[in-house]
Amino acid sequence: MSRDFNGSYVRKAGLICGFLIMIAASNFISYRSAVKKLEKMSQKSETYITSQMKDYTDAKVKQYYNKIKDSSGSESVTAGTKNNDKLTVQTIYQVEKYDSAKDISSAEYRNLPEKLVGMNKEQVEAYCHDYMNNMSADEFLAGLQSMGVVSFSSDRLVIKKIYDQTKIKYKYYLIAIDGEVVVYYGDKKTIFDYTGIKTSRLDKKERNALKKGVEVKDEDELYGILENYSS
């Protein structure tokens, strides 16, 4: 009698445990499903907000153009560039960026840089050429490949920048200056760090390499070389 009772109790307990496990598994699956739905909703919401912000900005720009047209009586403020067109503090400045590696485009509206005020189209094109030849370390590391004028008028200037980080072969550059190992960015113009490592402690092969300059692919390789110099 006692064995039958114990066996029946164990079977009931097993059924209850199984039932509870099924409920827990069902709740977990429902939870995961809800999380995935929330993630999708969040992504859609971000896309929608980005789209709305772009539409809003474009509408504001168009409204500004119409205001200029109404006040000047011009049929079109972007019909073409006149020989005497020059940029002013009221010129709308748009920078278009294109990442060719990721095939991603974006646009930003900024205040016209003070140095561009009063320039004509040829002068802006010269400015772009000079910008490329003397780009900042940030632009270099971002992979800036080209920069040029897309649209020019006294009312609106559009500049396009094309980026591709995959074309950066070397991010850093090591060279000896006054007996010390100095790290430059890959542009070979902007100093990244003074290491404090004296070349006198290095072997002849390393010193000769540093006289010519050592191109370094990335941070991992850079710190590996510096660690080797310090050991």
Side-chain angles (χ1 to χ4, degrees):
M1 182 71 177
S2 177
R3 290 181 180 179
D4 292 341
F5 175 78
N6 288 338
S8 176
Y9 179 80
V10 170
R11 284 194 297 274
K12 288 181 179 178
L15 289 172
I16 292 172
C17 288
F19 181 69
L20 292 174
I21 291 172
M22 288 177 63
I23 292 175
S26 176
N27 288 338
F28 178 76
I29 293 171
S30 298
Y31 169 76
R32 292 296 300 167
S33 177
V35 169
K36 289 181 179 179
K37 287 181 179 179
L38 285 173
E39 290 176 348
K40 289 181 179 180
M41 290 173 63
S42 177
Q43 292 174 355
K44 289 181 179 179
S45 177
E46 289 178 1
T47 302
Y48 175 77
I49 291 171
T50 301
S51 175
Q52 291 296 304
M53 289 180 66
K54 183 180 183 301
D55 291 343
Y56 175 80
T57 304
D58 291 343
K60 284 294 183 183
V61 172
K62 186 176 180 180
Q63 183 181 14
Y64 181 76
Y65 288 158
N66 291 334
K67 183 178 179 181
I68 293 174
K69 183 177 69 176
D70 292 340
S71 62
S72 63
S74 173
E75 290 298 322
S76 174
V77 296
T78 59
T81 302
K82 300 177 183 178
N83 293 332
N84 60 349
D85 269 359
K86 290 185 178 181
L87 304 178
T88 71
V89 292
Q90 293 183 333
T91 301
I92 294 174
Y93 182 43
Q94 178 180 341
V95 179
E96 295 181 350
K97 295 183 178 181
Y98 176 65
D99 188 326
S100 59
K102 299 177 181 178
D103 192 23
I104 297 175
S105 298
S106 62
E108 299 176 359
Y109 295 92
R110 306 175 181 175
N111 293 326
L112 186 72
E114 186 176 349
K115 62 178 63 177
L116 294 182
V117 176
M119 285 189 177
N120 58 30
K121 185 178 180 182
E122 289 184 356
Q123 290 172 324
V124 175
E125 289 174 340
Y127 164 82
C128 291
H129 181 74
D130 184 64
Y131 189 95
M132 287 298 302
N133 289 333
N134 299 280
M135 74 175 71
S136 66
D138 289 339
E139 290 281 43
F140 170 79
L141 293 174
L144 180 61
Q145 299 298 309
S146 66
M147 175 180 177
V149 178
V150 175
S151 177
F152 181 95
S153 74
S154 59
D155 303 303
R156 182 172 180 247
L157 171 64
V158 181
I159 297 290
K160 185 167 185 176
K161 295 181 176 182
I162 298 177
Y163 295 84
D164 188 348
Q165 282 189 322
T166 64
K167 292 186 178 180
I168 304 175
K169 294 180 66 176
Y170 303 102
K171 291 186 176 181
Y172 301 98
Y173 180 73
L174 299 174
I175 196 166
I177 299 178
D178 295 332
E180 180 183 353
V181 179
V182 179
V183 183
Y184 280 77
Y185 285 106
D187 61 1
K188 300 181 182 179
K189 297 178 291 186
T190 309
I191 293 177
F192 172 72
D193 188 27
Y194 290 96
T195 66
I197 301 173
K198 300 298 181 182
T199 56
S200 57
R201 63 182 296 176
L202 306 178
D203 61 39
K204 185 177 180 180
K205 183 178 179 180
E206 291 170 333
R207 291 198 300 272
N208 288 336
L210 285 167
K211 286 180 181 179
K212 298 177 181 179
V214 178
E215 293 176 316
V216 183
K217 183 178 179 181
D218 52 29
E219 286 189 5
D220 290 338
E221 184 178 7
L222 171 64
Y223 291 120
I225 293 173
L226 295 180
E227 185 177 355
N228 182 59
Y229 285 170
S230 301
S231 60

